[in-house]
Amino acid sequence: MHPHGLRAAFILAATILTASLFAGPLKKAFAALEVHNYFLAREIFLKQARKHPAAAWYGLSVIAGRANNPYYDPDSCYAAITRADASFTASPDKERVAIGKLGVNHAAIEAQKRHAHQLGWELARNVNTIAAYDRYINAYVGSPFAAEATLVRDHLAFQVAREENTAQAYQAFLDRYPRAKEVYEARNRLNEAVYREATVARDLESYRTFIREHPDNPYTQQAEEEVYRLSTPGRTVSEYHAFIQANPRNRKVNEAWRAIYEQYTRDLSTNTITRFLQDFPEYPFVEEIVDDYKTASLYLLPFRREGKWGYIDEEGNERIKAGYEWAEPFEGAQAMVGLNGRTGTINRSGKVVVAIEYDEVADPAEGTSTVERSGRVGAVDRNGALVVPMIFGDVGEFSGGLAYAERDGVYGYINARGDEAIPFQFTSAGTFRNGIAVVEKDGLFGAIDVKGNVLVPPQFDWVEGFGADGVSRVRKDGKTGLISPFGDLLVPLKYDHIGPFVNGLALAVEGRKCGYLTPLGAVQIPIEYDAAEGVAGWGDFRDGLAEVQSAGKRCLINARNERIFPCVFADIGPATGALVPVRRKSKWGCADRRGNVLFDNRYDLAWEMVNGIARVKSGELFGLIDSTGKEVVAPRYSELVTAGSDLWIARDAQGSGLIDRTARVVLPLRYDAVQLVRADLAQVERNERLGYVRLTDGRVIWKEDGFDSP
C-alpha cells in the first residue's frame, strides 16, 4: 500500500475509534437523561466536563433546568448553558461534529439558553422585588426578558420612592435608574418634594430662601405667590409697595402695582389718577393710564330698553348695551348689575369685574366686597377675584385689614385673604373702629384690639364701640355709662340715656333731668334741665348749640351753658343757619341766632335752614324763606323737597319739576317723578317710563319708548 494511503487509513481508523470512545460516556449520560436518571447523567457530565465541556455543560444545564429533580436551579441552568455556549464556540470542528450526533449543536444551545432565560424570569417575577429583578438583569445577560424586567424593576423602585415621598428618595431613584420611563415624573416629584421640604415652616423666610437656592425649580412660581400672599395679608397700599421693593424680581410685582393703582383710583377720577402718579412715578404701566383718564371722564347713566338695562353717556349715546335685568348708577369705577337672578359688577367699558353669579354683592370697603351665594359668604377684591373663600355664614366690612366672620355659629376675625386672624370664639362680633371691635360672649359684650387681646371683658348688656373721641357708651341692667378703651369706667352706670358726643359734649339723662358730659365723664353742664319727652332725639348739641327745656319751656344753650335763647318757647328747631325755627304756641316763626324773634306764629311747620334757605308749610302747601325771613317761594306747592345743589323738587296739580331758591322754574312741573342725578341733569318719569333732561338747555337727551304716550 502506498505510504500516503496507509496514513489516511490510519487517521480514519483513529477518528472512528475516538468517536466510539467519545460517544460512549456522553451517549450513556444523554441516555440516562432521556429516562430521567439525573443522578447518573449528572455524574457522567461532571466527569466529562474537562474533556468535552460543551456537551457536558449542556447536559448539566438541561438537568438544572428541569423541575423534576433535586438539582433544579434556574441560575445553575443558565450558568451551565452559558459555559456550554462559550465552549461550543471554542471547540474544534471535529468536536462539534461529534457532539452534534448527540443533539448538542448551536440550535440546541440557543434553545436551552432561551429556556434558562424563561426559568430565571419566572423566578424573578415570583420573588417580585427590586433586588430579584436587578439580579436577573445583571446575571441573565442578553435575555429577551431583560427589557421587561427593567421596566418592572424601575416601576417597583419608583413606587418605593413615592411611598417615601422625599427629595432624597426621588434623587436616589434618578441617580440609580437614569433611563427609567418614570424619570420625568420622578423629576417633577423631586421638584415638589424639594419645595415642600424647604418650605415646611410656611413662613416668608422659608419661601424666600427656596427661591434664592432653587431658581430653576418650577415651584419657584408657587413660592413667589406665597411670598406675595404672606407679604400682603391686609392687601393695603403700604404692604403692596413694601412687597415690590423687597421682591423686585417676583412675578407678582406687576399684580402688586396694579393692586396699588386699583386702590388709589377705585373711583377712577382724574384727581386720584394724578395723585397716584405723583406718589408712584415709577409705576410701570403709565401708558395704560391714558385710557383710564378718558374713561374716568365718561359719565354714564342707567337706561332701559324693552325691559333690559344698560348705560348711556350724557349725550344719550348707548355705551353699554341694554342686557341686564337691572342696573344701578356707577359708584366709582364700577356699577352693580343683575342678570339671571344674580348680582355682579361691571366697569365703564362694560367689562364684568365681579362675576355676575352672586345673590348679593356689598359695597367695597378697603378694596374688598363681601359676596353671598346660597347662604355662603366670602369676599372678592376690586378685580373680582375671590380672595375670601365662600365658607362662612357671614363676613363683615373690612377695617384695618380685618373683618368679622361667622363659621358654624361662632364668630372670629379673618384677614383680607380669608385666613383666621383672631380665633372663632364669640357669639357675635362687630367691625373694627379705631382699632377696637365690640364682641359678644355668653350674652355679654366687651371689646378687643386687632391682635385679639381683650381690652374690655364681656360684662355689659350693650357696648356702642369706640369713636374718635376714644370713649364708648355701655349699658347694663338698664343703666348707661361711659368707658375708656381699656375698660375703665369713666362715667358710672347710673344714667338712663347718654347721647353721642357732638362738639365734645354728650347729652346725659338721669331720671327726669338731663345735662351734658365731657368724654372724660365730667359733668360740663349740670343735670338740671327737664328730660322732656323725646329728648334723646332733639337734645344733642349741633353746630355749637343744644336745645334744652326748663320749667316746661325750651331754650338754646352753648357749651358754656349760656342761654342763647331764653326759655320761652314750646319748641325749637335745629340751629343750622342764620335763622332758627321757633314755636311759642301752635305755629312756628323764626328767630336769629341771638334769640331775637323775627316773626312769630306764621307757619304750621318750619324746618332748619339748608344753604341759607328753609322750608315752611302753611296748611297743606309748602314754600321757602331766606335767611332774612323773606318768602322767596310763597307756600303754593303740595310737595317741596330739597334736591341738593340749591334746587328743590316741587309738585303741584300739574306734576313734579325743579325750582331754584329764587322760585325760578328750572324744570317744568309736568312729570310724575323727578330726581336730580347731577347738578345739570335730572332723571324724570312719566307713564312709568324714564328719561333724562339736561337742565342747562332743557333738552331731553334720552327717553324710554312710551314716555310721551298720552
Side-chain angles (χ1 to χ4, degrees):
M1 179 177 295
H2 192 277
H4 290 292
L6 181 62
R7 183 171 179 272
F10 175 78
I11 291 173
L12 177 63
T15 299
I16 294 172
L17 178 61
T18 301
S20 175
L21 292 173
F22 168 78
L26 286 179
K27 186 174 183 179
K28 185 176 180 181
F30 280 107
L33 187 62
E34 186 74 20
V35 296
H36 307 294
N37 188 350
Y38 299 113
F39 295 101
L40 177 60
R42 184 172 182 277
E43 180 182 355
I44 297 172
F45 284 138
L46 287 173
K47 290 178 180 179
Q48 296 295 313
R50 293 189 63 185
K51 294 181 180 180
H52 309 289
W57 287 114
Y58 172 82
L60 289 170
S61 176
V62 171
I63 294 171
R66 292 180 179 177
N68 60 349
N69 71 86
Y71 304 112
Y72 173 71
D73 180 51
D75 288 346
S76 298
C77 172
Y78 179 69
I81 197 62
T82 299
R83 296 184 69 174
D85 185 27
S87 299
F88 185 81
T89 300
S91 296
D93 290 342
K94 65 179 181 180
E95 178 77 3
R96 294 182 185 180
V97 170
I99 62 177
K101 294 178 180 180
L102 298 175
V104 181
N105 52 37
H106 179 73
I109 290 173
E110 287 301 314
Q112 180 62 17
K113 192 184 295 183
R114 288 194 296 274
H115 177 62
H117 285 152
Q118 179 70 44
L119 292 178
W121 173 232
E122 291 175 357
L123 177 62
R125 285 197 303 178
N126 289 336
V127 177
N128 197 38
T129 63
I130 296 172
Y133 291 117
D134 261 338
R135 183 173 177 278
Y136 180 77
I137 293 166
N138 294 326
Y140 291 75
V141 179
S143 169
F145 303 106
E148 186 176 356
T150 300
L151 288 174
V152 177
R153 177 204 63 190
D154 293 350
H155 175 73
L156 288 178
F158 186 58
Q159 289 301 111
V160 170
R162 284 191 60 178
E163 289 173 6
E164 188 172 336
N165 198 29
T166 64
Q168 182 179 2
Y170 290 123
Q171 187 62 60
F173 173 81
L174 289 168
D175 291 343
R176 188 168 184 181
Y177 308 107
R179 295 183 179 83
K181 71 180 185 66
E182 293 88 357
V183 161
Y184 178 76
E185 184 179 352
R187 285 181 183 142
N188 289 339
R189 290 181 175 272
L190 170 63
N191 288 330
E192 187 278 332
V194 169
Y195 171 67
R196 171 168 34 85
E197 293 168 12
T199 61
V200 66
R202 295 186 178 182
D203 58 13
L204 199 57
E205 186 55 37
S206 67
Y207 290 114
R208 284 176 172 166
T209 301
F210 172 80
I211 293 168
R212 185 173 59 253
E213 295 181 353
H214 305 278
D216 297 327
N217 190 302
Y219 283 87
T220 55
Q221 178 174 348
Q222 188 169 332
E224 288 181 351
E225 290 175 354
E226 289 299 316
V227 169
Y228 180 54
R229 183 182 68 85
L230 291 171
S231 299
T232 59
R235 296 168 49 242
T236 63
V237 168
S238 59
E239 288 176 346
Y240 285 128
H241 196 233
F243 164 78
I244 292 168
Q245 292 178 316
N247 308 276
R249 294 184 178 85
N250 190 297
R251 68 195 68 209
K252 287 289 187 176
V253 161
N254 288 347
E255 183 176 329
W257 270 124
R258 287 195 165 96
I260 295 174
Y261 178 69
E262 282 288 333
Q263 287 200 27
Y264 251 71
T265 63
R266 51 178 171 257
D267 63 347
L268 207 62
S269 68
T270 55
N271 289 337
T272 54
I273 293 174
T274 300
R275 182 165 57 88
F276 170 80
L277 288 176
Q278 290 172 344
D279 290 346
F280 300 101
E282 70 274 31
Y283 183 62
F285 308 109
V286 175
E287 68 282 356
E288 298 176 4
I289 297 180
V290 175
D291 291 335
D292 284 347
Y293 264 96
K294 296 177 182 178
T295 303
S297 62
L298 196 62
Y299 190 81
L300 297 181
L301 301 160
F303 82 104
R304 182 172 58 192
R305 178 187 296 132
E306 297 178 353
K308 296 293 184 181
W309 289 83
Y311 293 86
I312 57 175
D313 62 22
E314 56 191 312
E315 295 299 323
N317 302 309
E318 182 178 307
R319 291 288 186 168
I320 298 175
K321 184 179 179 181
Y324 299 103
E325 293 168 356
W326 52 268
E328 294 185 0
F330 270 85
E331 293 290 340
Q334 299 179 37
M336 207 91 69
V337 294
L339 190 63
N340 300 324
R342 299 290 188 180
T343 300
T345 70
I346 59 174
N347 63 21
R348 280 186 168 83
S349 67
K351 179 183 177 182
V352 172
V353 181
V354 176
I356 308 173
E357 61 182 37
Y358 300 102
D359 296 330
E360 186 176 348
V361 178
D363 291 334
E366 296 187 351
T368 302
S369 296
T370 299
V371 291
E372 186 270 331
R373 183 176 58 222
S374 302
R376 295 283 89 187
V377 182
V380 297
D381 63 17
R382 291 195 62 82
N383 295 320
L386 190 68
V387 292
V388 175
M390 307 281 289
I391 59 174
F392 300 101
D394 188 16
V395 174
E397 178 182 302
F398 278 90
S399 175
L402 298 178
Y404 67 76
E406 180 268 319
R407 187 173 61 201
D408 300 327
V410 183
Y411 281 79
Y413 288 83
I414 59 175
N415 63 21
R417 300 286 185 182
D419 302 322
E420 181 180 296
I422 297 175
F424 285 73
Q425 57 184 305
F426 305 110
T427 308
S428 69
T431 301
F432 274 96
R433 295 287 182 259
N434 299 300
I436 302 175
V438 176
V439 293
E440 178 190 2
K441 218 171 188 181
D442 300 325
L444 296 175
F445 292 84
I448 61 172
D449 65 14
V450 293
K451 298 295 185 181
N453 300 313
V454 175
L455 301 178
V456 180
Q459 57 185 303
F460 299 103
D461 298 333
W462 172 74
V463 176
E464 176 189 26
F466 294 86
D469 47 38
V471 299
S472 173
R473 295 182 287 175
V474 294
R475 185 180 299 119
K476 189 171 186 179
D477 299 329
K479 295 297 182 179
T480 304
L482 289 176
I483 61 171
S484 75
F486 304 103
D488 301 324
L489 200 61
L490 303 175
V491 173
L493 293 157
K494 67 175 185 176
Y495 293 101
D496 298 299
H497 170 77
I498 297 177
F501 279 92
V502 181
N503 302 133
L505 294 175
L507 171 69
V509 178
E510 186 176 11
R512 304 177 68 176
K513 293 294 181 180
C514 62
Y516 293 86
L517 308 174
T518 69
L520 295 179
V523 177
Q524 178 77 12
I525 296 176
I527 312 297
E528 61 185 12
Y529 292 102
D530 298 341
E533 182 179 356
V535 67
W538 50 260
D540 297 327
F541 264 84
R542 186 173 182 180
D543 295 324
L545 299 176
E547 182 181 0
V548 295
Q549 179 170 310
S550 179
K553 295 295 182 179
R554 303 281 179 89
C555 51
L556 284 181
I557 62 171
N558 62 20
R560 295 187 296 275
N561 197 23
E562 296 169 342
R563 295 190 180 182
I564 307 304
F565 282 24
C567 289
V568 297
F569 300 101
D571 202 353
I572 302 175
T576 58
L579 297 185
V580 181
V582 293
R583 180 172 64 86
R584 292 198 192 195
K585 296 180 181 179
S586 61
K587 293 205 173 192
W588 288 79
C590 282
D592 63 20
R593 293 183 69 86
R594 297 185 186 90
N596 302 314
V597 177
L598 272 66
F599 58 87
D600 201 5
N601 204 38
R602 182 185 296 177
Y603 299 107
D604 293 307
L605 281 172
W607 284 264
E608 69 271 20
M609 300 207 82
V610 179
N611 296 327
I613 297 292
R615 188 168 50 133
V616 293
K617 183 180 182 183
S618 289
E620 297 300 321
L621 299 178
F622 295 87
L624 299 174
I625 62 173
D626 65 15
S627 58
T628 67
K630 177 185 175 182
E631 284 187 354
V632 293
V633 177
R636 63 175 179 266
Y637 295 106
S638 58
E639 289 182 14
L640 198 58
V641 180
T642 181
S645 190
D646 284 340
L647 295 179
W648 296 77
I649 299 172
R651 171 175 285 278
D652 63 12
Q654 302 304 312
S656 293
L658 290 170
I659 63 171
D660 67 12
R661 58 194 298 152
T662 67
R664 183 176 66 91
V665 175
V666 178
L667 183 68
L669 280 66
R670 61 189 183 195
Y671 301 103
D672 299 335
V674 175
Q675 179 183 351
L676 194 68
V677 295
R678 200 172 67 179
D680 62 342
L681 196 63
Q683 181 188 80
V684 293
E685 182 178 338
R686 182 188 289 162
N687 299 320
E688 298 184 348
R689 300 291 191 272
L690 298 178
Y692 290 101
V693 181
R694 191 160 56 203
L695 302 181
T696 53
D697 57 10
R699 185 171 77 86
V700 177
I701 65 170
W702 172 85
K703 57 185 176 182
E704 191 175 359
D705 291 343
F707 182 84
D708 293 324
S709 299

PDB file of all heavy atoms in Angstrom, residues 99-111:
ATOM      1  N   ILE A  99     -20.297  15.901  18.953  1.00  0.00           N
ATOM      2  CA  ILE A  99     -21.368  16.127  19.934  1.00  0.00           C
ATOM      3  C   ILE A  99     -22.682  16.462  19.241  1.00  0.00           C
ATOM      4  O   ILE A  99     -23.755  16.321  19.830  1.00  0.00           O
ATOM      5  CB  ILE A  99     -20.991  17.232  20.925  1.00  0.00           C
ATOM      6  CG1 ILE A  99     -20.791  18.579  20.218  1.00  0.00           C
ATOM      7  CG2 ILE A  99     -19.758  16.844  21.721  1.00  0.00           C
ATOM      8  CD1 ILE A  99     -20.487  19.723  21.173  1.00  0.00           C
ATOM      9  N   GLY A 100     -22.528  16.888  17.978  1.00  0.00           N
ATOM     10  CA  GLY A 100     -23.752  17.163  17.232  1.00  0.00           C
ATOM     11  C   GLY A 100     -24.571  15.913  17.043  1.00  0.00           C
ATOM     12  O   GLY A 100     -25.806  15.971  16.942  1.00  0.00           O
ATOM     13  N   LYS A 101     -23.889  14.756  16.929  1.00  0.00           N
ATOM     14  CA  LYS A 101     -24.609  13.492  16.778  1.00  0.00           C
ATOM     15  C   LYS A 101     -25.399  13.146  18.042  1.00  0.00           C
ATOM     16  O   LYS A 101     -26.320  12.328  17.988  1.00  0.00           O
ATOM     17  CB  LYS A 101     -23.615  12.376  16.459  1.00  0.00           C
ATOM     18  CG  LYS A 101     -22.950  12.562  15.107  1.00  0.00           C
ATOM     19  CD  LYS A 101     -21.932  11.461  14.830  1.00  0.00           C
ATOM     20  CE  LYS A 101     -21.266  11.669  13.471  1.00  0.00           C
ATOM     21  NZ  LYS A 101     -20.272  10.620  13.170  1.00  0.00           N
ATOM     22  N   LEU A 102     -25.027  13.810  19.160  1.00  0.00           N
ATOM     23  CA  LEU A 102     -25.756  13.588  20.413  1.00  0.00           C
ATOM     24  C   LEU A 102     -26.828  14.660  20.636  1.00  0.00           C
ATOM     25  O   LEU A 102     -27.462  14.700  21.686  1.00  0.00           O
ATOM     26  CB  LEU A 102     -24.781  13.597  21.590  1.00  0.00           C
ATOM     27  CG  LEU A 102     -23.703  12.508  21.572  1.00  0.00           C
ATOM     28  CD1 LEU A 102     -22.738  12.711  22.730  1.00  0.00           C
ATOM     29  CD2 LEU A 102     -24.352  11.122  21.673  1.00  0.00           C
ATOM     30  N   GLY A 103     -26.978  15.502  19.618  1.00  0.00           N
ATOM     31  CA  GLY A 103     -28.012  16.542  19.716  1.00  0.00           C
ATOM     32  C   GLY A 103     -27.526  17.846  20.284  1.00  0.00           C
ATOM     33  O   GLY A 103     -28.330  18.759  20.533  1.00  0.00           O
ATOM     34  N   VAL A 104     -26.233  17.983  20.510  1.00  0.00           N
ATOM     35  CA  VAL A 104     -25.679  19.217  21.053  1.00  0.00           C
ATOM     36  C   VAL A 104     -25.117  20.045  19.903  1.00  0.00           C
ATOM     37  O   VAL A 104     -24.054  19.718  19.359  1.00  0.00           O
ATOM     38  CB  VAL A 104     -24.586  18.931  22.092  1.00  0.00           C
ATOM     39  CG1 VAL A 104     -24.050  20.242  22.666  1.00  0.00           C
ATOM     40  CG2 VAL A 104     -25.109  18.050  23.206  1.00  0.00           C
ATOM     41  N   ASN A 105     -25.859  21.055  19.499  1.00  0.00           N
ATOM     42  CA  ASN A 105     -25.428  21.942  18.417  1.00  0.00           C
ATOM     43  C   ASN A 105     -25.834  23.379  18.775  1.00  0.00           C
ATOM     44  O   ASN A 105     -26.373  23.646  19.853  1.00  0.00           O
ATOM     45  CB  ASN A 105     -26.024  21.506  17.080  1.00  0.00           C
ATOM     46  CG  ASN A 105     -27.540  21.334  17.167  1.00  0.00           C
ATOM     47  OD1 ASN A 105     -28.220  22.102  17.870  1.00  0.00           O
ATOM     48  ND2 ASN A 105     -28.062  20.312  16.482  1.00  0.00           N
ATOM     49  N   HIS A 106     -25.567  24.297  17.878  1.00  0.00           N
ATOM     50  CA  HIS A 106     -25.849  25.711  18.144  1.00  0.00           C
ATOM     51  C   HIS A 106     -27.334  25.944  18.424  1.00  0.00           C
ATOM     52  O   HIS A 106     -27.706  26.683  19.347  1.00  0.00           O
ATOM     53  CB  HIS A 106     -25.400  26.572  16.954  1.00  0.00           C
ATOM     54  CG  HIS A 106     -25.675  28.041  17.147  1.00  0.00           C
ATOM     55  ND1 HIS A 106     -24.947  28.831  18.018  1.00  0.00           N
ATOM     56  CD2 HIS A 106     -26.629  28.855  16.599  1.00  0.00           C
ATOM     57  CE1 HIS A 106     -25.424  30.060  17.992  1.00  0.00           C
ATOM     58  NE2 HIS A 106     -26.445  30.105  17.130  1.00  0.00           N
ATOM     59  N   ALA A 107     -28.186  25.295  17.647  1.00  0.00           N
ATOM     60  CA  ALA A 107     -29.624  25.489  17.820  1.00  0.00           C
ATOM     61  C   ALA A 107     -30.088  24.983  19.184  1.00  0.00           C
ATOM     62  O   ALA A 107     -30.909  25.616  19.864  1.00  0.00           O
ATOM     63  CB  ALA A 107     -30.383  24.781  16.703  1.00  0.00           C
ATOM     64  N   ALA A 108     -29.544  23.802  19.562  1.00  0.00           N
ATOM     65  CA  ALA A 108     -29.943  23.238  20.849  1.00  0.00           C
ATOM     66  C   ALA A 108     -29.484  24.135  22.002  1.00  0.00           C
ATOM     67  O   ALA A 108     -30.208  24.346  22.984  1.00  0.00           O
ATOM     68  CB  ALA A 108     -29.362  21.837  21.003  1.00  0.00           C
ATOM     69  N   ILE A 109     -28.251  24.636  21.868  1.00  0.00           N
ATOM     70  CA  ILE A 109     -27.731  25.513  22.927  1.00  0.00           C
ATOM     71  C   ILE A 109     -28.568  26.780  23.028  1.00  0.00           C
ATOM     72  O   ILE A 109     -28.916  27.239  24.129  1.00  0.00           O
ATOM     73  CB  ILE A 109     -26.255  25.836  22.653  1.00  0.00           C
ATOM     74  CG1 ILE A 109     -25.398  24.571  22.871  1.00  0.00           C
ATOM     75  CG2 ILE A 109     -25.768  26.972  23.558  1.00  0.00           C
ATOM     76  CD1 ILE A 109     -23.950  24.723  22.468  1.00  0.00           C
ATOM     77  N   GLU A 110     -28.920  27.382  21.897  1.00  0.00           N
ATOM     78  CA  GLU A 110     -29.740  28.598  21.916  1.00  0.00           C
ATOM     79  C   GLU A 110     -31.114  28.324  22.515  1.00  0.00           C
ATOM     80  O   GLU A 110     -31.671  29.138  23.259  1.00  0.00           O
ATOM     81  CB  GLU A 110     -29.870  29.155  20.495  1.00  0.00           C
ATOM     82  CG  GLU A 110     -28.610  29.816  19.971  1.00  0.00           C
ATOM     83  CD  GLU A 110     -28.178  30.971  20.850  1.00  0.00           C
ATOM     84  OE1 GLU A 110     -29.045  31.801  21.229  1.00  0.00           O
ATOM     85  OE2 GLU A 110     -26.981  31.034  21.195  1.00  0.00           O
ATOM     86  N   ALA A 111     -31.687  27.150  22.169  1.00  0.00           N
ATOM     87  CA  ALA A 111     -32.994  26.795  22.724  1.00  0.00           C
ATOM     88  C   ALA A 111     -32.912  26.638  24.237  1.00  0.00           C
ATOM     89  O   ALA A 111     -33.789  27.092  24.984  1.00  0.00           O
ATOM     90  CB  ALA A 111     -33.501  25.506  22.079  1.00  0.00           C
TER      91      ALA A 111
END
